[in-house]
C-alpha cells in the first residue's frame, strides 16, 4: 500500500516458466516473496532475500504449518540478476510453472495469491526469520495471462472516460464507491471494442477493482449519486444498474474484444445511465487521499459484424440451494442444459471468448465445463484458488464453441467453517451465488441459463429430516425456506442427505430471454 514494492512479470509458455522482476524502493535487510493457497504465510512457497548486515543471500524456501521457514532442498526460484538503480534494487528471478517439488506451489491458470514480507532488521539465518513479526501483505493476480494476439484498433475509434469526480477516499480499510454517469442525449448505437483502467497517480495500490454497469432501460431517469455504495443515502433505483459493460481488477491488462465483435451500447433499448463502482482497499487508513480513477472505454460507430452478448451460467439466486455451516468443502452445481441450448442457440452456435466467475464470501473454487453428448469436451474457465475479492473479466486462451444441444456445467466449492448457520442462495453478501458471466458472440436472446434443485424435492428433504430427528424442523407453509434451513440440526446424516439431494434430485431449469421471459424448459433430471 505504500508503493515500496513493484512487481512485473513475463510468462513464457514454450518454457513453461514465469520471469519475475521486483523493484524494492527502500531496501532494508531483505524481502520474502512467494505464493500460497489463499495468501497465508503458513505452507507457503517463498523466494527469500536476506542480509546479516554484512553479506546478502538469496534462496528458495518454504514455510511449515507453524510458519517456520526452511531452505528448500530443491532450489526452483533461480536468481538471474540484482541491480541497483536510483529508484531502488531490481531483483530478477525465474520460476517454472510446475517443479515436481512437493514443497512448491503449482502455478496454474486462475487467481494466484502472492505474498510478501519486508525484513527491517538483519537476520543471521533463514530460520531466524519470524514471519509473524515482519511487515507483510498479500496481492492477488492472474499470473498466467492468455498469450493472444491483440486486435488492431480502428483509426476512427473514440474514447470515453467514466471516472470518479475527484473524490476523497474514505479512511476505511474497504470502501465500495458508486458514481452515476450519463451518456449524451440521443447517443446512437456504438460498439465497445476495448477498455482499460485509468488510475490516479499515487493510488495504484489503493484501487483494488472497478466495474461499469449499465442501468435498466425500463426507467426513464436515474438519480445522480456520488458516494459509498452501502450508504443509506444511496437511491434504491441504483440497484437496477446491473448490466456489466466493463470490469477491471488489480493486475489485469486492457480488455480487447475480438475483431469481429463489439459490445453494443447506446441507441434504442439501451439506457443512457451508467454506474461506476470502485473498490478501494486502504489498509493503512490513509486520510484525505483524492481519487479520479475509473475506466476508459474505446468505442466505434462503425459497427462490427457481431454484437457481443453476456450470458449468466450457474445457479439461480434462490434459497433452495444452501450450504450447511462448518463445511470445509461443499460443492454446488448449476446446469445450462441441452434442452435450453437446443431451443435458444443458433444452428451455427456461439463463441465464448471471455468469462467472469462470481460467488460471494464463502466461494473457494469455480469451474465451468462444456459437455456434448454426455461427455466433457473442455474447460471453459476454472479457478482453483478463486477469491471473491478478486473478480475480473478474463479473456480465454482459446475461444469455446457452443452448439445447440451442448451443456454448460458450472460448479462452485464453498467453505463455511467460520459460520454457525446455513448459508442460503440469494443477493446478500452473507448469502451465496454461483455464477459465470460468459462473454460471447453472436448475441442471442438467451441471457440466463441456470438451474436450482426442484423445490418439491427440497420439501421432501425437510419432511425426511423431520422424521429422523428429535428436534422438529418447522415446515408450516408460511415459514420461509431460509427459516426451515436455520432450524435444521446439522448432524452428519442431515448434511449427507442434502449433498445427495443436490447431486441426484431433478432440477428446475431457468432458460431466460433478455426480456426475462423463459424459453419453455422446466424440470429436468440431472445430466
Amino acid at each position: 500500500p505504500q508503493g515500496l514494492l513493484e512487481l512485473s512479470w513475463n510468462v513464457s509458455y514454450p518454457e513453461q516458466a514465469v520471469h519475475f522482476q521486483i523493484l524494492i524502493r527502500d531496501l532494508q535487510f531483505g524481502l520474502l516473496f512467494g505464493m500460497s493457497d489463499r495468501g497465508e504465510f503458513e505452507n507457503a512457497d517463498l523466494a527469500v532475500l536476506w542480509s546479516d548486515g554484512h553479506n546478502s543471500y538469496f534462496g528458495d524456501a518454504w514455510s511449515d504449518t507453524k510458519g517456520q521457514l526452511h531452505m528448500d532442498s530443491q532450489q526452483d526460484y533461480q536468481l538471474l540478476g540484482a541491480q541497483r538503480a536510483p529508484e531502488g534494487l531490481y531483483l530478477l528471478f525465474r520460476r517454472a510453472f510446475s517443479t515436481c517439488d512437493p514443497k512448491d506451489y503449482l502455478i496454474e491458470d486462475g487467481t494466484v495469491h502472492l505474498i510478501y514480507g519486508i525484513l527491517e532488521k538483519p537476520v543471521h539465518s533463514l530460520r531466524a526469520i519470524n514471519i509473524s513479526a515482519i511487515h507483510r501483505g498479500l496481492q492477488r493476480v492472474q499470473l498466467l495471462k492468455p498469450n493472444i494476439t491483440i486486435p488492431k484498433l480502428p483509426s476512427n475509434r473514440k474514447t470515453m472516460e467514466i471516472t470518479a469526480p475527484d473524490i476523497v477516499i474514505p479512511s476505511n480499510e474497504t470502501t465500495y464507491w458508486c458514481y452515476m454517469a450519463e451518456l449524451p442525449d440521443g447517443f446512437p448505437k456504438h460498439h465497445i471494442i476495448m477498455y482499460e483502467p485509468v488510475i490516479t497517480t499515487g493510488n495504484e495500490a489503493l484501487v483494488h477493482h472497478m466495474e461499469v454497469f449499465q442501468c435498466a432501460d425500463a426507467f426513464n431517469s436515474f438519480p445522480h449519486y456520488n458516494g459509498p455504495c452501502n450508504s443509506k443515502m444511496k437511491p434504491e433505483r441504483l440497484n437496477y444498474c446491473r448490466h456489466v459493460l466493463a470490469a477491471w481488477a488489480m493486475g489485469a491488462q486492457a480488455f480487447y474484444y475480438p475483431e469481429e465483435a463489439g459490445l453494443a451500447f447506446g441507441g434504442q433499448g439501451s439506457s443512457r445511465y451508467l454506474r461506476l463502482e470502485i473498490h478501494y482497499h486502504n489498509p493503512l487508513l490513509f486520510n484525505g487521499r483524492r481519487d479520479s480513477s475509473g475506466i476508459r472505454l474505446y468505442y466505434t460507430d462503425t459497427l462490427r459484424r457481431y454484437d457481443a452478448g453476456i450470458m449468466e451460467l450457474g445457479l439461480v439466486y434462490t434459497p433452495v440451494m444452501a450450504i450447511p455451516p462448518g463445511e470445509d468443502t461443499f460443492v454446488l452445481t448449476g446446469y445450462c442444459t441441452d434442452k435450453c441450448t437446443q431451443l435458444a442457440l443458433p444452428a451455427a452456435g456461439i463463441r465464448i471468448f471471455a468469462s467472469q466467475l462470481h460467488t460471494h464470501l464463502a466461494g473457494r473454487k469455480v469451474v465451468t465445463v462444456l459437455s456434448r453428448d454426455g461427455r466433457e469436451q473442455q474447460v471453459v474457465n476454472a479457478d482453483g484458488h478463486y477469491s471473491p475479492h478478486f473478480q475480473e473479466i478474463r479473456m480465454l486462451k482459446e475461444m469455446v464453441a457452443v452448439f445447440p444441444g451442448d451443456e454448460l456445467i458450472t460448479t462452485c466449492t464453498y467453505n463455511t467453517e467460520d459460520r454457525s448457520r446455513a448459508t442460503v442462495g440469494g443477493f446478500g453478501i452473507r448469502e451465496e451465488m454461483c455464477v459465470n458471466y460468459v462473454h460471447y458472440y453472436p448475441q442471442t436472446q438467451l441471457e440466463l441459463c441456470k438451474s436450482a434443485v426442484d423445490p418439491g424435492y427440497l420439501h421432501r428433504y425437510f419432511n425426511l429430516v423431520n422424521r429422523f430427528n428429535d428436534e422438529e424442523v418447522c415446515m408450516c407453509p408460511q415459514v420461509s425456506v431460509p427459516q426451515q434451513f436455520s432450524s435444521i440440526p446439522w448432524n452428519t446424516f442431515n448434511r449427507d442427505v442434502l449433498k445427495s439431494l443436490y447431486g441426484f434430485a431433478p432440477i428446475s431449469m431457468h432458460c431466460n430471454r433478455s426480456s426475462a421471459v423463459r424459453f419453455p424448459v422446466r424440470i429436468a433430471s440431472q445430466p
Side-chain angles (χ1 to χ4, degrees):
Q2 293 158 310
L4 296 177
L5 301 175
E6 186 178 292
L7 173 70
S8 311
W9 72 95
N10 276 337
V11 179
S12 170
Y13 285 101
E15 289 182 28
Q16 294 280 290
V18 183
H19 288 80
F20 294 100
Q21 177 186 275
I22 297 182
L23 167 60
I24 310 166
R25 293 191 191 279
D26 183 20
L27 179 64
Q28 297 182 54
F29 292 93
L31 172 77
L32 282 71
F33 167 83
M35 300 164 248
S36 67
D37 181 36
R38 306 210 61 81
E40 320 88 341
F41 273 76
E42 297 75 34
N43 298 316
D45 176 13
L46 297 158
V48 185
L49 172 71
W50 78 97
S51 169
D52 58 11
H54 305 288
N55 297 306
S56 296
Y57 307 89
F58 178 91
D60 180 345
W62 56 276
S63 62
D64 58 28
T65 52
K66 295 180 179 174
Q68 177 66 55
L69 294 187
H70 305 268
M71 186 66 78
D72 201 327
S73 57
Q74 187 176 310
Q75 291 288 297
D76 293 303
Y77 283 106
Q78 299 165 2
L79 182 63
L80 302 176
Q83 187 176 355
R84 286 199 179 275
E87 60 270 30
L89 177 76
Y90 285 94
L91 202 61
L92 182 68
F93 51 97
R94 177 187 184 278
R95 166 70 152 68
F97 297 173
S98 173
T99 63
C100 299
D101 179 348
K103 301 297 183 189
D104 282 356
Y105 181 94
L106 176 65
I107 301 175
E108 298 175 293
D109 293 340
T111 304
V112 178
H113 292 70
L114 299 177
I115 55 176
Y116 63 87
I118 295 168
L119 300 179
E120 295 168 328
K121 296 176 182 174
V123 286
H124 297 290
S125 71
L126 194 69
R127 292 183 68 85
I129 297 172
N130 177 5
I131 61 171
S132 62
I134 62 173
H135 173 64
R136 62 191 201 176
L138 155 72
Q139 244 358 317
R140 299 175 183 91
V141 297
Q142 181 197 19
L143 275 183
L144 303 189
K145 304 286 183 189
N147 191 19
I148 55 178
T149 306
I150 291 174
K152 193 177 177 190
L153 295 178
S155 57
N156 69 342
R157 67 184 181 269
K158 300 170 188 170
T159 62
M160 175 189 300
E161 292 188 0
I162 315 293
T163 55
D166 192 33
I167 69 154
V168 177
I169 301 174
S171 54
N172 303 322
E173 180 167 349
T174 300
T175 299
Y176 283 83
W177 193 272
C178 283
Y179 170 66
M180 291 298 289
E182 265 179 71
L183 297 176
D185 215 356
F187 187 76
K189 180 179 176 179
H190 289 77
H191 272 163
I192 297 172
I193 54 176
M194 174 210 164
Y195 60 82
E196 64 185 358
V198 179
I199 311 288
T200 299
T201 304
N203 292 347
E204 292 85 356
L206 300 181
V207 179
H208 186 273
H209 71 256
M210 303 183 284
E211 291 185 273
V212 175
F213 299 92
Q214 190 168 34
C215 301
D217 188 46
F219 299 96
N220 292 326
S221 67
F222 280 81
H224 288 284
Y225 181 71
N226 179 37
C229 299
N230 62 350
S231 167
K232 290 177 181 173
M233 302 300 290
K234 187 187 88 170
E236 184 73 22
R237 189 169 284 191
L238 268 60
N239 295 332
Y240 291 91
C241 304
R242 303 176 63 87
H243 177 66
V244 178
L245 289 184
W248 173 90
M250 191 181 283
Q253 298 167 305
F255 183 89
Y256 292 84
Y257 281 84
E259 284 181 335
E260 59 273 26
L263 186 66
F265 79 135
Q268 196 171 358
S270 175
S271 174
R272 288 175 48 218
Y273 295 91
L274 309 176
R275 176 168 65 89
L276 172 69
E277 182 175 301
I278 305 179
H279 173 194
Y280 294 106
H281 180 58
N282 183 10
L284 299 181
L285 309 182
F286 290 128
N287 222 327
R289 189 75 70 89
R290 305 195 78 88
D291 187 68
S292 300
S293 298
I295 286 179
R296 182 182 296 120
L297 303 175
Y298 289 71
Y299 63 99
T300 176
D301 55 8
T302 306
L303 300 182
R304 292 181 165 183
R305 183 178 176 189
Y306 299 114
D307 282 353
I310 302 172
M311 188 191 306
E312 282 190 44
L313 307 176
L315 287 172
V316 182
Y317 309 131
T318 168
V320 302
M321 304 302 294
I323 307 139
E327 290 283 345
D328 172 30
T329 50
F330 194 88
V331 175
L332 293 176
T333 299
Y335 299 90
C336 176
T337 64
D338 53 348
K339 291 183 178 66
C340 182
T341 61
Q342 192 73 57
L343 274 173
L345 297 189
I350 59 171
R351 304 290 181 273
I352 298 175
F353 60 88
S355 158
Q356 182 185 21
L357 306 174
H358 179 74
T359 75
H360 285 173
L361 301 178
R364 295 295 180 268
K365 297 180 184 181
V366 187
V367 60
T368 296
V369 297
L370 170 71
S371 176
R372 185 171 296 147
D373 300 324
R375 281 197 169 131
E376 184 182 312
Q377 294 291 307
Q378 67 187 109
V379 173
V380 178
N381 192 8
D383 196 339
H385 300 275
Y386 172 85
S387 168
H389 305 294
F390 186 65
Q391 303 183 32
E392 58 179 353
I393 302 173
R394 291 178 179 165
M395 292 178 276
L396 303 184
K397 284 197 171 83
E398 55 184 37
M399 287 200 201
V400 177
V402 185
F403 296 101
D406 286 352
E407 290 178 315
L408 291 159
I409 303 166
T410 302
T411 300
C412 294
T413 304
Y414 302 93
N415 181 298
T416 56
E417 287 181 301
D418 61 342
R419 301 190 181 188
S420 56
R421 290 174 151 243
T423 301
V424 298
F427 290 97
I429 195 66
R430 296 290 292 177
E431 296 171 329
E432 265 311 331
M433 292 185 173
C434 178
V435 186
N436 185 355
Y437 299 98
V438 291
H439 295 244
Y440 72 95
Y441 69 85
Q443 186 177 33
T444 70
Q445 278 292 302
L446 182 60
E447 192 162 276
L448 184 149
C449 191
K450 300 161 90 173
S451 72
V453 71
D454 175 48
Y457 279 79
L458 184 66
H459 188 70
R460 293 183 193 181
Y461 168 73
F462 290 136
N463 274 326
L464 183 72
V465 167
N466 222 6
R467 190 180 305 169
F468 284 90
N469 285 279
D470 298 334
E471 300 172 48
E472 190 148 316
V473 178
C474 190
M475 294 189 311
C476 328
Q478 67 271 26
V479 173
S480 68
V481 169
Q483 286 173 307
Q484 291 183 72
F485 270 121
S486 68
S487 67
I488 290 178
W490 289 109
N491 53 42
T492 307
F493 176 79
N494 291 344
R495 291 170 190 271
D496 289 347
V497 174
L498 186 65
K499 284 178 190 172
S500 299
L501 175 85
Y502 288 148
F504 301 108
I507 56 175
S508 171
M509 187 63 217
H510 290 235
C511 186
N512 292 14
R513 302 173 197 267
S514 46
S515 61
V517 175
R518 288 192 193 182
F519 287 92
V521 177
R522 283 291 178 165
I523 295 176
S525 58
Q526 296 211 19

